[in-house]
Amino acid sequence: MAIYTPLKQVSTINTFIGAFPGALPPLIGWTAARGMIEWPGVALFAILFVWQFPHFMAIGWMYREDYARAGVRITPTLGDTRYAARSTVIQALFYATLMVGVSLWPFALGTTGDAYAAAAVCLSLGYLWCTIRFSRIGFGRAAPSGELADASTPSGRVPARDLLHASIIICRCCWLP
């Protein structure tokens, strides 16, 4: 927190830095229960770490004007709106793509069974699909004409809201054994 909080006013790297403490609770819990750091706990950390980026990019896009007024530097608040939209989308897509493989790590470690693997694949692919829909804010029909999807209009708010809802669902379901 000593690094993350002051960085909010300085650099967009605060999102990446903040993802570490944000993903630590399951690793801390696993370690406390087992008495040592083990790979399944690290896998839970990785799932939560990767999940946060598309989730936060959707929130950041929806409320970018509020973040900008508060002086919080996040990718969606960058000065060049076209660059901000595209950078937001690229980051969200990168991490949503990673989520497909990372969500299967507990299965690969033998911590979970086939039902978890099937749910993880379906949910992470759904998460990726929602992120692809979200990508139209920077690369969709409106992007070539110079007009980006505005978060205050349905064309900008719906994909961000859908991604936000999907991120909440996948987060909850990935914790099921």
Side-chain angles (χ1 to χ4, degrees):
M1 290 302 205
I3 297 170
Y4 168 66
T5 302
L7 273 178
K8 288 181 177 183
Q9 306 292 317
V10 178
S11 172
T12 60
I13 195 76
N14 71 66
T15 306
F16 181 76
I17 300 294
F20 286 94
L24 277 175
L27 177 59
I28 291 169
W30 184 280
T31 303
R34 304 285 292 199
M36 67 172 69
I37 296 175
E38 296 176 325
W39 286 113
V42 175
L44 294 175
F45 170 87
I47 290 168
L48 194 52
F49 182 83
V50 169
W51 166 84
Q52 291 179 85
F53 290 92
H55 173 78
F56 186 71
M57 292 302 157
I59 292 170
W61 186 259
M62 285 175 58
Y63 299 107
R64 69 184 183 278
E65 292 169 2
D66 295 330
Y67 280 108
R69 276 193 301 274
V72 177
R73 303 233 1 194
I74 57 173
T75 304
T77 65
L78 293 172
D80 179 345
T81 306
R82 175 175 297 289
Y83 177 77
R86 290 189 172 174
S87 184
T88 297
V89 164
I90 289 168
Q91 289 179 56
L93 284 170
F94 175 76
Y95 286 101
T97 302
L98 280 179
M99 186 64 161
V100 177
V102 170
S103 68
L104 288 171
W105 198 6
F107 175 75
L109 291 169
T111 308
T112 61
D114 293 338
Y116 170 86
V121 168
C122 290
L123 290 169
S124 61
L125 287 175
Y127 195 43
L128 178 59
W129 179 79
C130 287
T131 307
I132 291 167
R133 285 193 59 226
F134 175 66
S135 72
R136 70 182 177 201
I137 67 164
F139 297 100
R141 290 182 297 249
S145 69
E147 295 179 21
L148 296 167
D150 182 1
S152 64
T153 66
S155 65
R157 205 165 191 75
V158 169
R161 187 193 64 228
D162 289 350
L163 176 55
L164 181 59
H165 289 167
S167 70
I168 292 167
I169 291 167
I170 193 170
C171 183
R172 171 64 184 108
C173 291
C174 278
W175 300 112
L176 298 175

